[in-house]
Structures are given as structure tokens and as C-alpha cells.
Amino acid sequence: MLSLPLRRHFLFIHSRRKPSFLPFSIAATAISTLPTNTGAATAATSISDRLRQPHPLQAVPANFLLSHPLPSSAHLCLAAHLLARARLFPHSRSLLSRLLAPGHRPHLAASLVDLLHRAALALGPRRSALPSVVDTLLSLLADRGLLEDAVLALARVRELRVPPNTRTCNHILLRLARERRGGLVRQLFEQVPLPNVFTFNIVIDFLCKEGDLMEARALFSRMKTIGCSPDVVTYNSLIDGHGKCGELEEVEQLVGEMRGRGCRPDVVTYNALVNCFCKFGRMKRAYSYFAEMKREGVVANVVTLSTFVDAFCKEGMVQEAMKLFAQMRMRGMAPNEVTYTCLVDGTCKAGRLADALVLLDEMVKQGVPLNVVTYTVLVDALCKEGKVVEAEDVFRLMERAGVKANELVYTTLIHGHFANKNSERALGLLNEMKDKGLELDVSLYGALIWGLCNLQKVDEAKNLLNKMDECGLKPNTIIYTNIMDACFKAGKDSEAIALFHKILGSGFHPNVVTYCALVDGLCKVGSVDEALSHFNRMRDLGLQPNVRTYTAVIDGLCKDGCLTKAVQLMDEMVDKGLSLDKVVYTSLMDGYLKQGNLQDAFAVKAKMINSGLQLDLYGYTCFVWGFCNLNMMPEAREVLSEMIGKGITPDTVIYNCLINKYQKLGNIEEATSLQNEMESVLPSCTNGDTASGSDG
């Protein structure tokens, strides 16, 4: 009820016989107690005088109401009711929008609802339109982005026992979901008195996109319990949500339930199915849904075929992707930026940079905009080709085109500069990124730490690790592994091992790469027993050692003289189908030669050559040293001749090994001859490069 005496603000009906013609009068005195200035009062009096005239509401031009200031928020509310009652809804909305102007800011949310409610009481049930104006207000709040105010206003509407329109509630819910306001989505959903299928669909889709599948399924069950039948949109959201999380059995169950309820899959359903099965390598099943799609008469669109293009590219089947791309255009489909970006990425990863550039030219000609993902793919490909200058040119071109750089493209370019030993430029890009207000994320810290580790700047890398902790960013296993590996290479064994224990203490589970770095580092510092312990531990954890891990252990065992164990591991590698590399063969040959076991050394060499591998400089060095150690100088000279014949240039180590042995044997003539040969083959060598008294 209004607080001021009724005689100070009254309304009257000019004619009860024609209720559609609703004359009215608004007193000059404001309905609300808000203070008004003299100018506003004068304007209000003028409007009141005009409105007192016995004309029907339709005779009062709506623009007159809209173009003149009313003395208070309460007058606005009265006029909005009357206009809505006369079904002049756009004009009512225009008046209510004034309540959300900066001058009316203190009256948002519940206060505005109260004003509209008091105006309805003043007008009476026959001339007010409370449900309509309340819905308009809620809609305006949502459209202006005042979502918290909208939720508060809706709560007040319910307190006043005014039934909110479900469609308006859905409108607010949708805006909240798009802005990912999870707390408000859940709060508002519980306030909707009669949720319909659209209400449930908005919230279920939001929960699925947030990855909260348990809550989404609970809401799905609740929906069916209250008798609200799910539609194709409901199932699409759930199928897409479970599919993106790899829960393919749940996806199949949902498809079966969907069909059982007589709900026909549409193109969005099939796109979600094709996407999830392609994403997780189930191409055959994805094709079966694609075939079913055709049988059911559902026409595939650009999204469907782009999904297959992306899947082919990720599987390395670029030729098949290009064929499908050609088919798309033959069908009259216009490939979008996603299609082109997938192809550019696929061709770049296949080492076909020229084809990628042709596709980019085509994108430009077809008017398809290049987005930040497309540019990032190209920058990454150029960096991997060592063309960092060109990559930076593309980066600057992207900025000139108005495409905003993100953290990922900066990370890619910084990584490229570090890989090309250009740390100064990499750090310059880091400062540029900070100046633009972009935040360093885990990936960027990872690139920086990797780069510093490669430059053997271990202390600087560790400082960045500490800075991550200060920023609340949790380093991942890759970052820890890079620093641990760098510590081993810098001779800081104790720090490397301490870092491994920190990985375990941080709740991370070391992967194969971590154990490989640990085992390799321990073997290189002679801690072979400890390395073997970790090697066996990783197998106990179900981690399968890779070639590099086996190689590190075999090399360590050979250097430690444990050749029997090394051969057992080599046989184990063969049984598991792992390819033996040069390091494995060379380590065994070196081990046998150091023991004077020429027969087994030559047997390993024969196996190596039969597998298609050839001796390298280090392999020949092992044989030269082995023959010299046994005083078999003609055989050692024969190895030297063989390697030169194979196009491998001996280094000072080989020459010095031979020269020193001839000197020890008293054959100065041969030693001098080799010295002269070394100086002619390796012009940079001097007499000072010849070691004295060493057996190698």
C-alpha cells in the first residue's frame, strides 16, 4: 500500500463502458518519496496536466510519454503498467529501460520489483499488468548484463508471489550459462517454478560443457522423474559431454536410450558421435555412424566432414584428408577456418610446408579469415623447420591483421627462438608479452625452462621454477624432468636426485621420460646399481622402458664391465620388438674390446651391420683403441683405412691413440708419419694436440 495519503495521488476511469480506452491521470506529486528537483517537478506538472484530459490512452501518443521526463521512478512504473495493460509492450519496455539508466542505479533488483508492485496496488487489478512488467524488467536486466541483479529481482518476485514467466527465466539462464556463471545458473534453476524442457536443456548443456557430467546426469534423471520428456537437444548435450571425456560406452547407451524413446538423431547428434569416436581413435565406429547418417537421410554438413579431415590429419593420413577436402568443395560446401586450419596443421606436421602455404593463400582468396589458431600452426611449423625469422614475420603479419596474439602463439615463438639458440630474442618476446598484459601460464614457463636448460643455465631455470611456486602455478612432470636432466648434465647429481624426490612428493607420477632421464643421469655418473634399481621400479609400476632407457642402462652396464647383464637386456629389447640403435651395439663392442674379447666384439659388429646400421666415428674409435691395447697395430691401421674409405674423417683421439702406441713400441717412423698425416687431414691440429704417454 502506498505510504502517502491517497488524496495526493489518484487515478480515475473516464469511461467504464469502454475498458479498452483507458484514460488516466497522474498527479503532479510523485508516488515515491524520492526527492525531485524543481525542473523535474515542472515537467511532471506539464505531463500530468496533459494526462488529466479525458482522452483514451490510445489517443495519448506513446512518444509523448517516452520523450518527456517523469518526476520519479514511481511515475515511470505507473506509466509502464498502463502501457502494458493497453498492450503497448515496446513502449512499456522503453519506459522501464529508464529505470536502469545511471541515475536510477540505486533502485536495481529487489527495489525495482517493489516499485512495480506498489504501482500495481495503486492502479488496482483492472489497470495494472504486474506479471508483464516484471517479466520485461527481468529481461532488461539480463540484456544489460546485470545478471546478479536479475537473479535477485527474480527472488523478490517469488517472495511477492508473482509467478515469473518460465520463458523469461530461461532467457536469464541462457545468458548466465554463456558467461559461465555456474553458481548463479544453479541458484536460478532452483527458483524456476515450472521448469520446462528448455530450462533443463540450458542447464544440462552448461554442466556438460563444464565437465560436470555427474550433476548433468542427475539433472537428466530428475527431468524424467517430473515427467519432462528429454528431446534431441538434451541427448546431444549429454552425448557431446560424455564423448569429449572419452566415456564412449556412456555415449552408446545414450544413443540407444534416445532411439528407444523415439527421438531421432539429427546432424548435431551425428557430428558429436563422429567427433568423439574420431578423437579417441575409433575411426571404424565413426565411419559406421557416418554411414548410418546417410541411410537416415541426415545431410552431413561442413562440421561433419571437417571432423573427418581433422581425424585424418591427426592420424597422418594427409592425402585422405585432402581428398575429402576436395569432395567438400565438389558438393558445394564452403570449408571454414576450422577445416583449413586442420589441413594446414596436418600438412605442416607431415613436413609439407609448401602445401600448407598454398592452403593459406587459398584461405585468403576465398575470404576465409585466419584466426589465431591458424597463425599459431604456421608459426610452429616454421620454427620446427628452423625458419624462426619467417615465423616472426608471420607473427607480425597476424598482429597487423588485427588478430590478437595469445599465450600459445607467444609460447610457440619463444620455444622456436630457444631451439635456435637465440635466447636474447626469446626473452625479449617474454617482456613484450608482459607489456601486453598477457599472463605466463604453465606452458610458457615450460618453454622458458626448457630453453634455459638447453643453454645449460640451470640456476636461471631453477629460479623460474621457484617463481612458478610464488605465482601459484604448479609445475608439471615435463618441467621437473627437464631441470633434473639439466642438473645431471651440469654435474649436479645430488640436486637432480633431490628434484626427483620432489616430483614424488608433489603428487606427480613420473612417466617414462622422467625415469629415462634419471636412469641415464645415474649411469653417466657411475651409479649403475642405483640406476638399475629405478629401472626395475619403473617396470614394477607398469611403465614400459623405451629404447633410450634400455640404451642408457646397457651403456652403463658395459662401462661397469657387467656385459652378461647387458646382453640379457639387449635380448629383452629384441623380444619386446624394440629396435636396437647404434648406442646399444657400440656400447657392447666397446665393453668386449676393453676386455680383449675380439670374437664377441666382431660378432656384435656383424649383427649391427646386418640390421642396416653402419659404424660411426665412435664405433671405429672403439676398435682402434681395442687393437692398440692388444698391440695389434696392423689391424688398428686397417680400421683407420676402412673408416677413411667409408668417408668418416678420423679425429685427434684416433690419431693420438695410434701415435702414442707407436711411440711406446719404439716405432718412431710410423708415429711421425701419422703425425704428419693428422696435420694434413686436420689442419687445425698442432704438435701440442698430440697426447703423450696415453693408451687412450
Side-chain angles (χ1 to χ4, degrees), residues 321-336:
M322 294 295 283
K323 287 178 183 176
L324 188 57
F325 178 70
Q327 287 177 24
M328 288 176 69
R329 290 188 294 189
M330 287 174 62
R331 291 184 183 188
M333 292 184 184
N336 57 24

Side-chain angles (χ1 to χ4, degrees), residues 481-611:
T481 301
N482 281 330
I483 298 179
M484 183 182 73
D485 187 50
C487 285
F488 273 123
K489 288 173 180 174
K492 300 181 178 183
D493 316 332
S494 57
E495 289 184 28
I497 294 166
L499 200 57
F500 177 74
H501 290 299
K502 186 176 181 179
I503 296 174
L504 298 175
S506 299
F508 285 109
H509 298 290
N511 56 22
V512 173
V513 179
T514 311
Y515 273 108
C516 180
L518 177 66
V519 167
D520 184 54
L522 289 169
C523 285
K524 281 184 169 60
V525 298
S527 301
V528 180
D529 289 338
E530 190 177 351
L532 267 175
S533 173
H534 285 293
F535 179 77
N536 293 326
R537 172 67 178 157
M538 72 180 288
R539 293 196 288 187
D540 292 340
L541 292 170
L543 295 172
Q544 296 303 317
N546 56 17
V547 172
R548 189 183 164 196
T549 318
Y550 271 106
T551 301
V553 178
I554 289 170
D555 184 56
L557 288 167
C558 289
K559 284 183 170 61
D560 212 35
C562 304
L563 296 177
T564 304
K565 180 63 177 173
V567 171
Q568 287 175 358
L569 285 178
M570 186 178 78
D571 292 338
E572 187 179 302
M573 285 182 73
V574 174
D575 292 340
K576 288 186 175 182
L578 296 174
S579 300
L580 304 180
D581 61 7
K582 280 186 182 181
V583 179
V584 173
Y585 286 115
T586 306
S587 297
L588 282 167
M589 287 187 297
D590 185 50
Y592 283 127
L593 288 167
K594 282 178 178 174
Q595 291 184 355
N597 187 346
L598 294 177
Q599 183 178 352
D600 285 337
F602 274 101
V604 172
K605 178 188 175 185
K607 281 184 180 180
M608 178 179 173
I609 292 170
N610 288 336
S611 70

